[in-house]
Amino acid sequence: MHSLENPFNINSVRPLNDPKECEKLYIKEVNYVPYAFGLKWNYADYEAIVSRFYQDDNIGAFKRALYLIDAIGGTQAAYEFTNTKGRFKSVQLGEVQDQELLLLLLKVLGEAKAWPEFGFVLNLLCSGAGRAMPRGLGNPDLYVHASLNANIAAHLITDGATAGEVGGLQDTVLLDVRDGSVVFRDCFKNEIDPGGRAKPVIVAMMRVRNEAATIKFAIEAIASHVDQVVIFDDHSNDDTVARIEECRSDGLPIDLIRADAWLFNESLIHQILVDRGRELGGTHFIQVDADEVLSDQITPGVLRAIMSAMSPGDILALPWLNLTADMGAYYSEDRIVGLLPSRGLKKFKDVGFADDGFSQFPEWQYAHVNVAPFTYTRRFLSLSDSISLYHLEQINLVNFVAKKDWYRARAFDQNKKLPVDPYLDIRLQLLQMPDSTRPLEVKSRRVDKVNDLFGALTEWRIESNMTACDKYPALRPHMYIDYGHFSTSLANNISEKR
């Protein structure tokens, strides 16, 4: 067994600790966002940096400047920037097609409670008289759309806006649990009846590969909430299938589909799962991964009450919380850097839908596929951390980093090239900052079991990555963990990047 107790040694993540290099890259790079946080760490003078590239009536320069000011100077400085020297007016007059910029403006204007301007930008972003959320952001990331919707809804419901000031999001149904019963509201605190009331047949979908350490826990956690669990095993070469069969022998309602070869195509697998669920009579679907569980407060009765209110075409989104090791807090995306276009917003994820019976997943999108195969009608949305989806990947930070190394090894094996991942370089430092987390109202009861499971999973990831490094020696210096140390000592140091 390897020791996993030593902290990471991340003391030289270049160029983020070099303010001059960060400044140069922020001004020149197309993907400039990571360097804003390197500048923030070094207390840079953002006004001096902005003066080097800002041009009036240049939307791209406006967005680059606004992001830096918001990251370093804060909301008030960013809001003042939008209103000086006609800068906000220049954005208004432009034909703004950049939804990332509109999202950034909503973040700034919402926090400043500038409701007339907020309503104007919301009108640009939303489509049609129903003030609906746009159905796509030009980015396949499955968190972006729900996170944007949640950010806007949270501003509207908590900061005193009225429908008359900013319009409404008629396709957003907010949900919460009060005294054990599910309550539905619009974005302006009015309780509503969302309709529905059909008796759902709920199918859980899981796609797995080499999840022997955690799969039984994941299945047992979701099985009591649903009528059927449909699992696609993507050609595991460990004991994953044996663990699934054990669950089925215990009487859990499992339908297992096994791949003859490794597909690694999320869209295709999603379609296979939905097709099988439809064959089994499923009307409502929820998707969880082997490292995800519903929060303790989402009892089987609560989930069924939510699903019962959803009509065909509706989807369900929950806060997606990366829990810490004690399962009493989570790493907060509004305190940790997020890449465009999520922009550091708290993460939300679409996790379920009421099936329309005929929609299909796009064949071209092999990764980061949204859970629903259709253009949704309404989004049922929880803003409460108590009603959320727990993501357990970062319970053990060694596991988190080793998983990223596994992706690097796979890319190198297939393409002989390494993926660019400056985000992880940044995130490793931020995850360990004292203010990077927020407490949960109720600590999960499952902490001891989860930590044991993910300790075992981490061991497997390390051994798998050591094998890859032995196969491709050229890969070793580019991994985030120095696996050579596992062969010679109990240390686990992060390799220096760049």
Side-chain angles (χ1 to χ4, degrees):
M1 295 288 289
H2 305 297
S3 170
L4 304 177
E5 298 177 357
N6 293 331
F8 291 116
N9 178 22
I10 314 171
N11 297 318
S12 56
V13 184
R14 300 185 310 234
L16 298 175
N17 286 342
D18 182 342
K20 292 295 183 183
E21 184 72 4
C22 279
E23 182 176 333
K24 180 178 70 175
L25 292 170
Y26 191 87
I27 293 171
K28 293 183 177 181
E29 289 290 314
V30 174
N31 181 21
Y32 49 83
V33 172
Y35 309 110
F37 287 82
L39 293 170
K40 182 176 182 178
W41 297 339
N42 291 282
Y43 307 102
D45 181 351
Y46 62 82
E47 292 183 346
I49 298 172
V50 168
S51 68
R52 292 185 56 190
F53 66 82
Y54 181 76
Q55 301 173 28
D56 283 321
D57 300 319
N58 183 311
I59 297 299
F62 178 88
K63 182 172 75 169
R64 190 179 296 249
L66 185 61
Y67 188 78
L68 184 66
I69 296 170
D70 182 52
I72 298 177
T75 297
Q76 190 57 40
Y79 177 59
E80 290 174 359
F81 176 76
T82 66
N83 285 285
T84 58
K85 300 181 180 179
R87 285 164 175 158
F88 186 68
K89 182 179 179 181
S90 70
V91 174
Q92 288 179 321
L93 296 177
E95 295 183 2
V96 180
Q97 301 296 320
D98 188 338
Q99 291 179 321
E100 292 178 356
L101 172 57
L102 297 178
L103 167 56
L104 178 56
L105 282 168
L106 285 175
K107 176 182 182 292
V108 171
L109 297 170
E111 292 175 0
K113 301 184 181 181
W115 299 125
E117 297 99 324
F118 184 98
F120 174 80
V121 176
L122 183 62
N123 188 45
L124 289 177
L125 183 68
C126 293
S127 56
R131 307 303 296 274
M133 290 293 299
R135 293 322 197 224
L137 289 173
N139 187 304
D141 191 319
L142 72 166
Y143 309 105
V144 170
H145 198 267
S147 299
L148 165 60
N149 198 164
N151 180 258
I152 295 173
H155 280 311
L156 297 183
I157 202 166
T158 61
D159 292 339
T162 66
E165 289 176 306
V166 300
L169 295 179
Q170 296 179 10
D171 61 350
T172 301
V173 179
L174 301 181
L175 61 95
D176 205 348
V177 175
R178 186 184 304 158
D179 297 326
S181 299
V182 181
V183 178
F184 301 99
R185 297 176 293 170
D186 63 17
C187 288
F188 302 96
K189 303 182 181 180
N190 302 305
E191 289 195 20
I192 59 174
D193 181 355
R197 302 294 184 271
K199 184 178 180 180
V201 177
I202 306 175
V203 175
M205 304 184 296
M206 300 181 72
R207 47 180 176 77
V208 300
R209 175 178 165 83
N210 291 344
E211 307 283 3
T214 60
I215 187 62
K216 286 191 70 174
F217 171 77
I219 293 173
E220 291 167 355
I222 192 63
S224 61
H225 292 67
V226 301
D227 300 293
Q228 189 76 37
V229 181
V230 181
I231 303 173
F232 185 96
D233 178 75
D234 199 7
H235 204 60
S236 293
N237 54 23
D238 66 356
D239 291 332
T240 297
V241 171
R243 301 289 87 78
I244 295 171
E245 294 293 357
E246 289 173 7
C247 290
R248 184 151 58 181
S249 297
D250 291 338
L252 298 182
I254 295 171
D255 191 277
L256 175 62
I257 305 167
R258 298 181 64 180
D260 295 328
W262 189 10
L263 293 182
F264 198 70
N265 185 315
E266 290 185 14
S267 185
L268 176 58
I269 294 171
H270 274 50
Q271 190 61 54
I272 292 170
L273 289 168
V274 169
D275 288 343
R276 179 63 63 86
R278 287 169 174 168
E279 292 172 3
L280 296 171
T283 61
H284 293 66
F285 292 77
I286 184 167
Q287 194 234 310
V288 292
D289 292 340
D291 60 358
E292 294 175 335
V293 294
L294 296 173
S295 63
D296 295 12
Q297 288 74 21
I298 303 181
T299 63
V302 165
L303 180 64
R304 198 161 290 274
I306 294 170
M307 291 285 193
S308 296
M310 295 169 59
S311 301
D314 292 341
I315 59 177
L316 170 64
L318 301 175
W320 192 68
L321 306 182
N322 285 291
L323 295 197
T324 60
D326 68 356
M327 295 187 74
Y330 62 92
Y331 296 105
S332 180
E333 296 298 327
D334 57 353
R335 294 184 176 184
I336 298 173
V337 58
L339 294 186
L340 289 168
S342 61
R343 157 144 22 265
L345 299 177
K346 181 177 179 179
K347 277 191 175 181
F348 289 73
K349 183 178 181 180
D350 291 324
V351 300
F353 62 93
D355 190 22
D356 65 6
F358 57 85
S359 293
Q360 306 289 308
F361 285 93
E363 295 181 0
W364 56 267
Q365 192 173 329
Y366 78 95
H368 290 167
V369 179
N370 207 348
V371 67
F374 45 70
T375 299
Y376 71 88
T377 303
R378 296 179 299 178
R379 176 178 274 118
F380 283 64
L381 173 66
S382 166
L383 298 178
S384 169
D385 292 345
S386 297
I387 311 299
S388 62
L389 184 66
Y390 292 161
H391 187 219
L392 307 176
E393 179 186 64
Q394 293 172 31
I395 286 279
N396 185 312
L397 290 186
V398 183
N399 170 69
F400 171 66
V401 181
K403 183 177 181 180
K404 303 306 177 185
D405 271 346
W406 183 87
Y407 283 119
R408 294 173 73 80
R410 179 185 177 276
F412 192 82
D413 182 62
Q414 289 194 335
N415 307 314
K416 301 302 181 286
K417 294 181 180 178
L418 287 166
V420 177
D421 193 4
Y423 179 46
L424 186 60
D425 285 345
I426 305 165
R427 190 177 184 89
L428 286 171
Q429 284 196 347
L430 291 172
L431 285 175
Q432 297 174 92
M433 291 183 176
D435 61 350
S436 66
T437 63
R438 291 188 186 279
L440 290 172
E441 291 182 11
V442 180
K443 183 175 180 179
S444 176
R445 301 184 301 271
R446 297 171 277 192
V447 57
D448 292 336
K449 185 172 184 178
V450 167
N451 274 279
D452 289 343
L453 291 172
F454 276 82
L457 178 61
T458 304
E459 295 288 340
W460 176 85
R461 292 198 194 282
I462 289 171
E463 292 170 3
S464 176
N465 291 338
M466 289 174 68
T467 299
C469 289
D470 290 341
K471 183 178 181 180
Y472 300 112
L475 182 63
R476 188 182 298 275
H478 300 286
M479 300 288 265
Y480 288 105
I481 291 176
D482 186 350
Y483 293 96
H485 283 266
F486 284 110
S487 301
T488 59
S489 72
L490 296 180
N492 50 296
N493 298 319
I494 298 300
S495 298
E496 184 179 281
K497 293 291 154 306
R498 303 182 191 278

